Amino acid sequence: MENILLNMVEKRKIGINCGVPSFCSANKIVIEAIMEQAKRFDDMVLIEATANQVNQYGGYMDMKSEDFKNYVYKIADKIHFDKQKIVLGGDHLGPLTWCNEPEKDAMEKAKVLVRQCVLAGYTKIHLDTSMKLGDDPKDEPLAVEKIAQRGAILYKECEEAFQELIQKDKDAVHPVFVIGSEVPIPGGTQEDEGLKVTTPEDFENTILTYKKVFKEYGLEEAWKYIIGIVVQPGVEFGNNELHIYNRFDAVKLCDTLKKYPDIVFEGHSTDYQPPMKLKEMVEDGIAILKVGPALTFAVREAIYALSFMEKELITDETKRANFIETLEKVMLEDDHNWVKHYHGTELEKKLAREYSFSDRSRYYFSLPEIVQTQEKLINNFKDIEIPMGMLHQYMPIQYVKVRDGKLKNDAYELVKDAVVSIVEDYNYAVKHNYMISGVFIK
């Protein structure tokens, strides 16, 4: 079977403007909302897990590659979504999680990671070997050739794993690959670091160096399956900062891409971009749009809205879920997911824990205490009709859909629809002549 991401590249080669959103999230509400929206339009979905989220040691989700696949498939079964339309991806696969270890140890662990992903049936692999390892020189940049060599080693491991997989499953789909050394920090920057668009020279140097190194490793055939390269097109976000896409800043880079019709750009950290800017990115060749924190930010924002309404609608304080207060307590009790990212006064750090675009609170949403509190909050609205005027105050976009009969006035459905609003921005960007209601609500 052919990888459907290869079809996307072929469509672009004949002039059909299209792309694909890459949803990087393990949040159940997010995944369910994505799939439900895809069902409405008979779409495929691309869902990716990062190396620190899911790996052979469990990652912060306490899941291996096979576990994450089963987790996603279980959600698909719940809503009767066709699993054949799910593309699973591995994001930042490489030695990222073990970058403080010597090259020999870190790369051996990275080989196990990519092998497990391919054997689990992941069909989009982002090979990221851009980080320095424990015994790399500290006082000089990591050479692109070294990055490419490590990428070649991992690619070869993936190919060997696929040959093993196809012996067990003759219908297995060959994975496609994204390479590149210019990778934004997963989850957004910590500070405004002076964003620079990748130069055409650096982009071409990466391509030529990878081709040279892959040839040395006997991997010339790899270019049938390498469909993308990560670049920095000028989009990023931090705790309070957004870098909005400016196609004029990226015009030289995107013009250079035209020399390589079998390759598209992959844009990381495209979260919070306006829909028209996302559309421009796809038009300019940035055909794979990664989004993650914006999705869980939308969930958190919707749950906060419900929490504010809960305080007004439930007068007995002992019956309230008090989600906001519980999340703050849990984040203070275990600060390792945010303490290096949020700085300033105590008030500034508190506001960041609640409202930062980087959304470090997402790392806590799978904890039992938070799951239970979220369920209690949703259940508290089972027997309560949210007044329309109150819904207008706290969830104005969802209010319009409820008013027009397009959405149930149900707490869980309201939270999912907050995610749908983000998904639709990406659908608008990647689909030819695709228009949906509500994208341009002010």
Side-chain angles (χ1 to χ4, degrees):
M1 293 176 65
E2 188 176 37
N3 194 305
I4 57 179
L5 292 176
L6 284 172
N7 292 340
M8 181 265 290
V9 176
E10 290 301 315
K11 286 178 182 178
R12 293 188 63 89
K13 285 169 67 174
I14 62 173
I16 299 174
N17 182 53
C18 61
V20 60
S22 171
F23 300 111
C24 301
S25 180
N27 183 283
K28 282 185 179 179
I29 295 177
V30 167
I31 295 174
E32 189 173 325
I34 289 167
M35 289 182 181
E36 286 187 342
Q37 194 65 356
K39 275 181 70 175
R40 295 184 182 110
F41 298 99
D42 196 27
D43 277 345
M44 51 79 69
V45 296
L46 169 56
I47 298 173
E48 300 204 41
T50 60
N52 57 352
Q53 182 183 57
V54 174
N55 58 53
Q56 63 265 41
Y57 302 104
Y60 69 75
M61 284 295 296
D62 195 25
M63 292 183 188
K64 297 180 181 179
S65 302
E66 185 76 17
D67 299 327
F68 183 73
K69 178 184 77 173
N70 293 334
Y71 171 79
V72 172
Y73 281 5
K74 185 176 180 180
I75 298 171
D77 287 339
K78 175 188 173 185
I79 65 167
H80 308 293
F81 184 74
D82 183 0
K83 292 192 282 288
Q84 295 295 318
K85 293 183 179 295
I86 299 172
V87 176
L88 290 174
D91 192 26
H92 295 282
L93 297 188
L96 171 69
T97 309
W98 309 285
C99 62
N100 293 324
E101 299 182 22
E103 177 181 20
K104 182 177 182 298
D105 297 335
M107 285 298 293
E108 282 303 313
K109 291 176 179 176
K111 286 163 69 174
V112 173
L113 172 62
V114 298
R115 169 172 284 273
Q116 288 190 355
C117 284
V118 173
L119 289 175
Y122 291 32
T123 54
K124 183 195 175 276
I125 304 293
H126 169 215
L127 295 177
D128 180 9
T129 52
S130 62
M131 66 294 301
K132 287 186 180 181
L133 303 182
D135 49 4
D136 285 326
K138 300 291 189 289
D139 55 351
E140 57 187 64
L142 189 60
V144 176
E145 187 153 352
K146 172 63 76 172
I147 294 168
Q149 287 169 355
R150 291 171 178 169
I153 290 168
L154 295 184
Y155 182 91
K156 187 175 182 181
E157 192 73 24
C158 290
E159 277 294 341
E160 291 174 358
F162 181 72
Q163 294 309 313
E164 181 181 333
L165 176 64
I166 206 166
Q167 295 301 315
K168 303 174 186 175
D169 179 8
K170 61 180 177 60
D171 294 323
V173 176
H174 197 291
V176 294
F177 296 83
V178 172
I179 59 171
S181 60
E182 193 148 353
V183 183
I185 298 170
T189 57
Q190 295 182 31
E191 305 290 345
D192 189 343
E193 299 168 349
L195 188 68
K196 293 182 180 178
V197 174
T198 302
T199 66
E201 293 78 18
D202 285 346
F203 159 56
E204 291 204 272
N205 182 43
T206 297
I207 288 282
L208 296 174
T209 303
Y210 267 82
K211 287 197 171 185
K212 170 180 171 289
V213 170
F214 273 48
K215 184 176 182 180
E216 291 170 356
Y217 277 74
L219 297 173
E220 292 97 329
E221 291 293 302
W223 295 94
K224 291 194 300 185
Y225 301 109
I226 296 173
I227 65 164
I229 181 167
V230 176
V231 293
Q232 176 48 274
V235 299
E236 185 54 278
F237 62 91
N239 291 328
N240 237 354
E241 310 83 28
L242 297 177
H243 293 274
I244 304 301
Y245 182 63
N246 184 333
R247 70 191 327 172
F248 298 104
D249 291 341
V251 65
K252 291 181 180 178
L253 172 65
C254 294
D255 278 348
T256 307
L257 179 64
K258 295 172 184 176
K259 294 162 61 175
Y260 305 92
D262 295 317
I263 295 286
V264 300
F265 285 147
E266 177 168 285
H268 286 226
S269 301
T270 70
D271 308 66
Y272 310 108
Q273 295 288 315
M276 280 302 300
K277 294 299 180 181
L278 293 171
K279 190 171 189 292
E280 288 179 5
M281 290 170 70
V282 174
E283 290 171 353
D284 294 345
I286 308 157
I288 304 173
L289 301 175
K290 289 208 178 240
V291 55
L295 300 165
T296 47
F297 184 95
V299 171
R300 194 274 316 151
E301 188 174 50
I303 290 175
Y304 267 37
L306 290 177
S307 297
F308 292 134
M309 290 188 279
E310 179 190 50
K311 285 180 170 59
E312 295 195 58
L313 293 171
I314 297 180
T315 56
D316 185 346
E317 295 183 11
T318 64
K319 293 183 178 179
R320 294 176 187 162
N322 295 318
F323 182 91
I324 296 173
E325 294 80 4
T326 304
L327 181 60
E328 172 71 355
K329 176 180 75 72
V330 170
M331 291 183 73
L332 288 174
E333 289 171 351
D334 178 8
D335 65 5
H336 81 277
N337 284 311
W338 61 266
V339 70
K340 294 179 181 178
H341 297 260
Y342 300 156
H343 310 289
T345 66
E346 290 305 313
L347 176 60
E348 288 170 334
K349 287 187 283 188
K350 181 180 186 301
L351 292 174
R353 287 192 296 272
E354 293 192 274
Y355 303 114
S356 165
F357 287 131
S358 296
D359 189 39
R360 305 299 296 180
S361 70
R362 71 186 185 275
Y363 295 103
Y364 298 85
F365 269 55
S366 61
L367 297 179
E369 186 172 0
I370 298 302
V371 171
Q372 292 166 11
T373 305
Q374 179 181 302
E375 289 175 351
K376 182 176 180 180
L377 175 65
I378 299 295
N379 287 332
N380 277 347
F381 283 90
K382 293 289 186 186
D383 301 318
I384 297 175
E385 180 79 12
I386 300 172
M388 288 294 284
M390 181 180 286
L391 186 63
H392 189 290
Q393 170 71 41
Y394 290 106
M395 305 182 80
I397 293 176
Q398 284 67 48
Y399 158 81
V400 171
K401 295 181 181 180
V402 172
R403 180 199 65 190
D404 295 346
K406 297 176 180 178
L407 178 67
K408 287 174 60 179
N409 191 354
D410 171 88
Y412 191 67
E413 296 300 319
L414 293 171
V415 175
K416 282 196 294 184
D417 190 72
V419 178
V420 167
S421 295
I422 307 300
V423 173
E424 288 297 78
D425 286 353
Y426 284 83
N427 282 342
Y428 171 75
V430 302
K431 294 176 184 296
H432 183 61
N433 290 335
Y434 183 74
M435 178 55 70
I436 45 83
S437 62
V439 166
F440 299 108
I441 290 176
K442 302 298 182 184

